[in-house]
Each structure stands twice: as C-alpha cells, then as structure tokens.
Amino acid sequence: MAKGSAVHSVVEKRLVTGNWDGTTTAMVEYPDFPAAQILDIAQSQADQLPTEQVPQRFVETAFTLPLGTRGKNLLTAIPIVGYIDWIESEERRVTDHKTLSNDAWKLTLTELLRDPQGVIYPKAAELLLGWKYPIKF
C-alpha cells in the first residue's frame, strides 16, 4: 500500500504541475522506494492523464456527505468524508487512481457499479459541483 501511496503522490503532483519534472519530490514521505521505480510506475499511466495542468481544486478534492444524504435507494447512516483524486469537469467524471501488482485485481464492470468509491464519489461531485447524473467514474 505504501508503494501505491508513493505513486499516487507523484501522479497528483503531475496533474497539478502539468509535467513530470520534480514530481518525485512528492515522495519525501516514502524513502523506502527508489524514486526512479515509482516514477516509472506513475508514468505508465501517462496516457490516461491530461497534457495540461489540472486546477488544484480538482485534485484531491475534499468532500463530506452529511448524515442522511440521499442516494439512489438509501440514505447515508453516517457522515462520509473523503477525497476525490481527480475531477474531470469537462468530462463530468470523477477518477480514483489505482495501481495494481496484478491484473487479476482489476474490478469488473459489475463490481465497479457496486464499488463504494464508484457510488460515493459521483454523489459527492453532484453535491459539490451541482452536476446531474449520469456522472462517470
């Protein structure tokens, strides 16, 4: 999990700066992993990232769904606090960065439709940004 967090911090910095220069400085908290290895893993996702900078407000965006927030069929039983990794406003999409050590861990479409982040993040985007469904995840 720590290696995934290191990769995540590099990708986050790349989104905000728009380039890979200096992104490994985001790894200060993760000295156990060679910077070159983490950068290689992060850059393997480059084709999924925009070429331009992403406004900071759309990277690691904090949200709270208050107690009783209405979902499709249920109300939240507790407040839910979290961070959306990347909001793509033009696409009306919320993205959660994932790194996998093995493709066997990839979620199927059915699993994604029931994935807690896949359900919660679009609802958070609806409340934060006033988006209407459908919202991509």
Side-chain angles (χ1 to χ4, degrees), residues 109-129:
L109 179 58
T110 301
E111 291 169 324
L112 281 171
L113 291 172
R114 291 182 171 85
D115 179 70
Q117 289 173 313
V119 173
I120 293 167
Y121 288 11
K123 183 64 177 184
E126 176 191 22
L127 296 176
L128 285 171
L129 304 168

Side-chain angles (χ1 to χ4, degrees), residues 87-102:
I87 296 174
E88 299 174 75
S89 59
E90 307 264 328
E91 299 290 326
R92 290 171 35 102
R93 177 174 36 223
V94 291
T95 299
D96 185 60
H97 304 299
K98 296 292 184 200
T99 56
L100 302 171
S101 58
N102 185 316

Side-chain angles (χ1 to χ4, degrees), residues 62-83:
F63 69 86
T64 300
L65 298 181
L67 171 73
T69 299
R70 180 169 297 284
K72 184 175 180 182
N73 298 313
L74 303 169
L75 301 176
T76 56
I78 59 171
I80 300 173
V81 177
Y83 294 88

